[in-house]
Amino acid sequence: MSVTTSLSLSPHAHLSPPLPPMSILRRLNLHNHLNLRSRSHRLFRSLAAAAVRQDTTVWTQAPLTVIEPAAESLFHVTIDVSDAPDLAVSHTRPGQYLQLRVPDVEKPSFLAIASPPSISEARGAFEFLVKAVAGSTAELLCGLKKGDVVELSQAMGRGFDIDRVDPPESFPTLLIFATGSGISPIRSLIESGFSADKRSDVRLYYGARNLQRMAYQDRFKDWESSGVKIVPVLSQPDGNWTGESGYVQAAFTRAKQIYSPQSTGAVLCGQKQMTEEVTSILVADGVSSEKILKNF
């Protein structure tokens, strides 16, 4: 007699899949461990590289010698770097900038150097036009006084490559555009000299909210005597203003007068929308983008 044994499963029963051999589990664990170690090492290397990059900034202490109002919300700041000749000679081209730290504040401010490189070398001084933006390191700087010590990095950035619009006989038209504190590196350019008197059409379109916010008005006469025609443009002028109003790009569009795009260069510094729109206008008129200089 044979006995048949049957196994009856409920409709809800299920069978567990067979477990993988231990050798496979060991390999999987080793693979996951190696991946984790690899990711950890990559993270460590990236953090170490970032730390090295951060540590490469050399900070030099230097005292303030001048801090005074330049216009509404703008300040003239002069820093004595005569005891740091390596720092002074790092400023080689108009349009360069540096980092500045004030006491007890880790976050630096990036400031364009307003003085020409010749002043940095001859007098051992950096001059700045600083906008006191609420809550910024720049605002804290504007609250310091003569004799207070700050920290500076070396000058950095490519500046304005004026060689691209030389010789002046080949680029008789040079159009310069600045808004707000963007006039700071433009001052460095004008006072460094770029043979403006050998060019037939050099115009500076300088935009500000009103005359109270327009710095360097006391320098306009000297700038014009060097060959730069200044076109102030006020976005919110008072009722007595008879000059250009609105935005710089609109004032330029009204004037235009580009006689030969191939022999025209431009220099731009200031508000992003202005630089983008002016660049588009110039390129559309046939000015080469290689001849449109910016300091960043």
Side-chain angles (χ1 to χ4, degrees):
M1 181 179 70
S2 63
V3 178
T4 302
T5 302
S6 63
L7 179 63
S8 176
L9 296 177
S10 75
H12 302 292
H14 64 277
L15 295 175
S16 298
L19 293 173
M22 289 302 295
S23 61
I24 295 177
L25 286 175
R26 282 195 295 271
R27 286 198 297 271
L28 288 173
N29 287 336
L30 177 60
H31 178 73
N32 291 337
H33 178 67
L34 290 174
N35 277 345
L36 181 60
R37 286 185 62 185
S38 177
R39 287 196 296 271
S40 298
H41 286 167
R42 286 198 300 270
L43 177 60
F44 176 79
R45 285 196 300 269
S46 64
L47 290 174
V52 169
R53 286 195 300 271
Q54 186 175 4
D55 289 343
T56 57
T57 302
V58 177
W59 296 100
T60 301
Q61 292 189 334
L64 297 172
T65 56
V66 175
I67 183 157
E68 60 188 15
E72 187 178 308
S73 301
L74 294 170
F75 288 80
H76 291 300
V77 175
T78 302
I79 299 176
D80 180 5
V81 294
S82 59
D83 289 337
D86 289 346
L87 175 58
V89 299
S90 71
H91 183 207
T92 59
R93 181 182 281 179
Q96 286 183 293
Y97 56 89
L98 51 69
Q99 297 181 74
L100 180 148
R101 293 195 307 200
V102 300
D104 303 321
V105 177
E106 187 68 23
K107 185 177 180 181
S109 182
F110 286 82
L111 298 176
I113 303 172
S115 48
S118 58
I119 287 182
S120 304
E121 186 174 357
R123 301 184 196 170
F126 286 150
E127 297 178 9
F128 304 90
L129 179 67
V130 184
K131 184 176 182 179
V133 178
S136 69
T137 300
E139 182 185 39
L140 297 175
L141 169 64
C142 295
L144 298 179
K145 61 184 183 299
K146 181 179 178 180
D148 286 341
V149 174
V150 296
E151 292 184 317
L152 304 176
S153 74
Q154 296 266 307
M156 59 185 71
R158 67 189 184 193
F160 298 120
D161 188 1
I162 204 69
D163 290 342
R164 288 193 292 177
V165 289
D166 268 339
E169 296 79 10
S170 298
F171 296 93
T173 298
L174 188 64
L175 304 167
I176 307 172
F177 302 86
T179 54
S181 59
I183 194 64
S184 177
I186 298 299
R187 175 205 152 189
S188 180
L189 174 67
I190 293 173
E191 296 182 7
S192 294
F194 54 89
S195 303
D197 57 341
K198 296 180 181 178
R199 304 176 196 262
S200 58
D201 180 19
V202 179
R203 282 174 268 160
L204 165 60
Y205 289 88
Y206 177 12
R209 180 178 297 181
N210 50 47
L211 287 177
Q212 289 70 41
R213 294 213 174 191
M214 182 167 279
Y216 297 145
Q217 293 180 54
D218 57 329
R219 296 178 178 268
F220 285 1
K221 186 175 180 180
D222 288 339
W223 292 359
E224 292 202 314
S225 67
S226 73
V228 180
K229 178 184 177 182
I230 300 173
V231 184
V233 185
L234 305 183
S235 60
Q236 297 180 22
D238 61 28
N240 297 322
W241 178 248
T242 58
E244 291 287 346
S245 59
Y247 293 112
V248 162
Q249 51 270 45
F252 172 63
T253 300
R254 288 192 293 268
K256 272 295 179 65
Q257 296 174 343
I258 296 180
Y259 302 109
S260 175
Q262 293 74 27
S263 59
T264 295
V267 182
L268 285 73
C269 191
Q271 199 243 5
K272 182 180 179 182
Q273 183 178 349
M274 179 276 286
T275 61
E276 290 177 347
E277 291 186 10
V278 169
T279 298
S280 296
I281 295 168
L282 292 171
V283 171
D285 282 347
V287 178
S288 169
S289 59
E290 291 296 312
K291 308 303 179 185
I292 301 174
L293 312 182
K294 300 172 186 176
N295 67 329
F296 55 87

